[in-house]
Amino acid sequence: MLMPKRVKYRKSHRGRLKGKAKGGTTVDFGQYGLQALESHWITSRQIEASRVALTRFIKKGGKLWIRIFPDKPVSKKPAETRMGKGKGAPEFWVAVVKPGRMLFELEGLPPADALEAMTLASHKLPIRTKFVVREEN
């Protein structure tokens, strides 16, 4: 699963999920993309599940880019623990995704196959997504 090798701080604030994505909103590497339509934290497990679904479908036919990385630690206190005594230990990692963010990109497949592959990947994610085709300049 994806996670940073090392971080400056073990624990982070939750932050807010307002607004649209600032960068990473266009198809830059492949021909097809999967774009987020909602804000959400996407865990490293969900990214991995989507990646497995995509790679199993495309087999050796195409190339895949993962455009998000889970670099935010989410901490939790143990079950049945009283309040106080500080913040809990980091449990898992999430990628903060805002509307417009490109999640995955594909190349080297026919459009129908790419759409089906991205649909399979989107079923593993907790947000609504949109299939995007790169505009030729």
Side-chain angles (χ1 to χ4, degrees), residues 21 23-29 32-36 65-69 97-106 118 130-134:
T25 56
T26 56
V27 181
D28 293 331
F29 300 101
Y32 314 103
L34 190 68
Q35 191 174 39
W65 288 268
I66 302 171
R67 296 284 307 273
I68 52 174
F69 187 80
V97 170
K98 293 184 175 180
R101 179 72 200 211
M102 205 57 64
L103 305 173
F104 298 98
E105 289 187 25
L106 265 179
M118 291 298 198
K130 178 170 82 172
F131 179 71
V132 183
V133 181
R134 183 180 206 159

Side-chain angles (χ1 to χ4, degrees), residues 12 16 25 34-35 37 45 49 65 80 95 129 132:
S12 73
R16 295 177 71 184
T25 56
L34 190 68
Q35 191 174 39
L37 297 176
R45 285 169 178 260
W65 288 268
E80 299 178 11
T129 56
V132 183

Side-chain angles (χ1 to χ4, degrees), residues 42-58:
I42 297 185
T43 67
S44 55
R45 285 169 178 260
Q46 291 163 343
I47 296 169
E48 179 65 11
S50 297
R51 184 196 67 78
V52 168
L54 273 167
T55 50
R56 284 207 178 132
F57 183 83
I58 64 176

Side-chain angles (χ1 to χ4, degrees), residues 6-27:
R6 49 190 301 275
V7 288
K8 192 166 184 180
Y9 300 107
R10 275 181 67 232
K11 302 172 185 178
S12 73
H13 291 191
R14 288 182 180 276
R16 295 177 71 184
L17 289 170
K18 278 184 60 171
K20 293 191 164 61
K22 284 196 287 189
T25 56
T26 56
V27 181

